[in-house]
Structures are given as C-alpha cells and as structure tokens.
Amino acid sequence: MAALEMVLITGMSGSGKSVALHALEDAGYYCVDNLPPELLTPFVVLEQQHGAPKVAIAMDVRSATSLPLVPQQLRELREQDVAVQSLFLDADTETLVRRFSETRRLHPLSRMDTSDQHRALVDAIELERELLGEMREQAHVLDTSMIRASQLQGYVKALISAPPTQLTLVFESFAFKRGVPLDADYVFDVRMLPNPHYESGLRQLTGRDQPVADYLKAHAEVEDMFNHIEQFLSHWLHALVRDHRSYVTVAIGCTGGQHRSVYLVEALAEAFSRQWPTLKRHRELDAL
C-alpha cells in the first residue's frame, strides 16, 4: 500500500490558509479545515483504513491549547510511513491588520471590551504569533504579505509536487524596497552589483531575458557573487539534511526585484537542480 500523503497547514489568521486549502483540494487532496489537534491521529488512521492517498488538514489558533500536541503527533505519523509536509502561512502585522479591516472580520483572539479596536487587533496578532511560534519553527514558511491569491495557490502546488523525502531548495527574488520575505532562511543582498536598470536598452527587460543575462555575466563581481552564494550553500546543505530540513528558502534581493536578483535566482536554481530538487519564485515579477 502506498504511503498516505498528508499536508498540514497552519499559520496566522488572515494569511491565506483557506486559499492554500482550496489549492490542495484542486490538486486532489481530501481537505479538512480547523481539525482539532486531538483528532489528528484518529483522522489519519481512519483515512488510511479507507485507502485515501492524499489528505490536507488546516489548524489555527482556535486550537491553541492543544497545538503543543501536534509536533509529537507528526513525528509519530512519520514513523508510521505517513509522508508529512507541514506549511505555515505568515504575513507581516501591517498586512494582517489591513486584511481584517477590509473584510470587517474579527480576529479569533480579539477583545471586544476595549474602545481602541486597532490596538486590540494588533495585540491579538502578536499574541497569535507567540502561540504559534513552535508550529512555525517546525514548518516550511510561506510569506503571503506581498502576493496575490493566485500566486499563493501556485506556490503551494509547486511545493507539494516536490519530493517529500528530499531537501528542496526554494530560490526567491525580491525587491528590498518592498520588504524582505518573512519566509527566507537565507537572505543575500545584491544591490551593490551593476544595475541593468541604468541601461536604456535593458530597463524594461528582466533577469530572465538574455540581453540582461549577457550584461551581468560580463561583470566579474556578478560572477563572484554567484560563486560565493553557491559555495556557501554547497557547504551547508548536507548539514541541513542531517537536521531533517525539508525546505530551505534562499532569498536574493536587489532594489526593484527585476534584474539582478532575478538573474541570480535563475542561475542558482539551474546550478543546484543538477543535484537537488529546486523551485523558483520571483515575488515582484510573479505579481505582474
């Protein structure tokens, strides 16, 4: 019998867990929202008995008192040959406040006995971060602050298609002017490299276009940056495997997230794909 594939989705309220669950449902997973942690193991056993191939479960802070049970449950399920992938959806506080304000929904931890509802919402979000801290540490984090629902769906589908038994490298380009991704394990700043933006013939192109690639390849410091990042990652990846990491997100940032960071993400993904499963994201370009 093939091993059951299980995806556990946790994260901040308002970060897009429902969107992620819909993406998994589209991908053929049997999905359950807001399952109490006490029912996790019995539910998985039942689905195994029914011969279900793939299940996805969402849990949130409403189960806060029993969430500490989950890490041990996941370890036990893995020992029983359940292929477990754990995703944590996050977003910065400003984004979460805006989303709750736009939808006029109450945060699950909001207090009603206060006149300052904005302060109450911020306090609720910070409390939620504290309560979910351990879950975040043990999951692959997706930062949804700057991405649209369609981007999130695509990212989730790409992640679950990666081999669950191997370390997967996620290379992500971004613009520093729009903030550093919250899901990055490593961040490399490449703003000191020559900038194609100041070349009139390259300004409207991206790091995926050959003229931009040729321009950057012609500068020794760009090659040096590529080599230094490649050497650093190659040195530490096997240690991360020994630490039982499933995903490592490497974020490369430049000013606008259009040329230098995109080029290096493409080049690094190509180089590492010869030995490791790799995924690419371009936060700013994917939003266009």
Side-chain angles (χ1 to χ4, degrees), residues 257-277:
Q258 179 180 343
H259 296 109
R260 295 164 291 182
S261 60
V262 171
Y263 166 75
L264 283 167
V265 160
E266 293 287 333
L268 288 163
E270 180 181 359
F272 279 94
S273 66
R274 298 163 195 154
Q275 185 177 358
W276 304 89

Side-chain angles (χ1 to χ4, degrees), residues 125-245:
I125 290 170
E126 295 309 315
L127 175 58
E128 183 177 29
R129 287 196 193 283
E130 182 180 343
L131 293 171
L132 296 179
E134 185 177 2
M135 297 296 296
R136 190 184 194 280
E137 286 294 318
Q138 300 190 28
H140 177 66
V141 180
L142 273 171
D143 180 8
T144 70
S145 305
M146 300 286 181
I147 63 176
R148 294 178 285 110
S150 58
Q151 284 177 265
L152 175 57
Q153 289 180 327
Y155 291 171
V156 169
K157 290 177 181 178
L159 284 170
I160 63 172
S161 68
T165 57
Q166 292 181 265
L167 176 72
T168 297
L169 284 170
V170 182
F171 291 99
E172 178 176 15
S173 68
F174 72 96
F176 270 98
K177 66 182 181 181
R178 299 188 70 215
V180 177
L182 297 176
D183 51 14
D185 295 296
Y186 297 105
V187 176
F188 294 95
D189 183 351
V190 301
R191 286 175 291 184
M192 76 294 292
L193 298 180
N195 192 350
H197 174 80
Y198 297 110
E199 302 293 327
S200 59
L202 304 178
R203 184 171 301 170
Q204 301 304 317
L205 302 179
T206 77
R208 291 185 291 200
D209 293 313
Q210 193 60 46
V212 173
D214 292 341
Y215 171 86
L216 292 170
K217 287 178 184 177
H219 291 82
E221 55 263 58
V222 176
E223 183 177 1
D224 287 343
M225 179 66 76
F226 172 88
N227 289 334
H228 290 160
I229 297 174
E230 183 183 37
Q231 290 164 11
F232 174 86
L233 293 175
S234 296
H235 180 82
W236 289 106
L237 282 178
H238 291 286
L240 291 166
V241 171
R242 291 194 298 271
D243 195 42
H244 306 291
R245 295 290 296 273

Side-chain angles (χ1 to χ4, degrees), residues 100-114:
F100 274 101
S101 299
E102 289 173 349
T103 60
R104 299 184 181 275
R105 294 176 56 229
L106 284 175
H107 189 282
L109 302 179
S110 286
R111 293 176 52 204
M112 298 300 296
D113 57 343
T114 177

